[in-house]
Amino acid sequence: MAEAQKRNAKSSAKVEGFLRESVEVAQARLETLEAEAQKILHEVQARFQKVSGKDWAEVRERLDHLREVGMERAEEWKDKAQEFRVEAAEKLESLQVSALRFLGVASREEVAELSREINKILKRLDDSRKRKAGKPARKPVVGQA
């Protein structure tokens, strides 16, 4: 039995040696693969940063262009809106004038003219009252009634 144990120990030693060599070879390969993976990862990151930088610069350039175009369009629409507002106000005013004429309502100019005429008449009345107040009252003639 001792011999069997010796054989088993020798076989175990051989298996251990074989496994140890295989593990060492595998470990060496893993280290090599890990180093290559690190290199590839760094290259990919560098490329991504370059591409991303270009993309961001392009995106930023496009956004700036869109902002400029948007500002130009906004200015155009602002001018058009202003023109529309002026035209609409003029049309509304002409419609109001037409409606007032149709209804027979006096215009501002007509009201101002009437006001001036009324003021002239009131002034004449005041002047004639002052003149009458300044003259002595007439005595009625006796015998005339």
Side-chain angles (χ1 to χ4, degrees), residues 1-13:
M1 277 213 174
E3 281 183 37
Q5 285 180 346
K6 284 183 182 177
R7 269 192 256 160
N8 282 339
K10 284 184 181 178
S11 294
S12 294

Side-chain angles (χ1 to χ4, degrees), residues 53-138:
K54 288 179 183 176
D55 287 346
W56 281 114
E58 186 178 324
V59 167
R60 187 177 305 122
E61 192 174 299
R62 286 182 181 176
L63 284 173
D64 289 341
H65 176 71
L66 287 173
R67 184 179 302 140
E68 289 173 13
V69 169
M71 292 297 285
E72 290 173 8
R73 295 291 187 259
E75 195 64 34
E76 289 173 12
W77 281 103
K78 179 183 170 187
D79 292 341
K80 287 181 180 180
Q82 182 67 18
E83 290 173 11
F84 176 78
R85 187 188 69 77
V86 168
E87 288 176 12
E90 289 173 355
K91 286 182 182 180
L92 179 63
E93 187 177 338
S94 71
L95 286 173
Q96 286 175 340
V97 168
S98 297
L100 291 175
R101 281 186 189 149
F102 177 75
L103 295 172
V105 178
S107 67
R108 287 184 187 162
E109 292 82 21
E110 292 171 335
V111 170
E113 180 64 31
L114 288 172
S115 179
R116 283 191 295 269
E117 291 295 324
I118 290 171
N119 285 335
K120 286 180 185 178
I121 293 170
L122 288 175
K123 188 177 178 183
R124 286 181 195 159
L125 284 174
D126 285 343
D127 289 343
S128 80
R129 285 184 187 160
K130 287 179 185 177
R131 277 188 260 145
K132 286 184 180 179
K135 290 184 181 178
R138 289 189 192 176

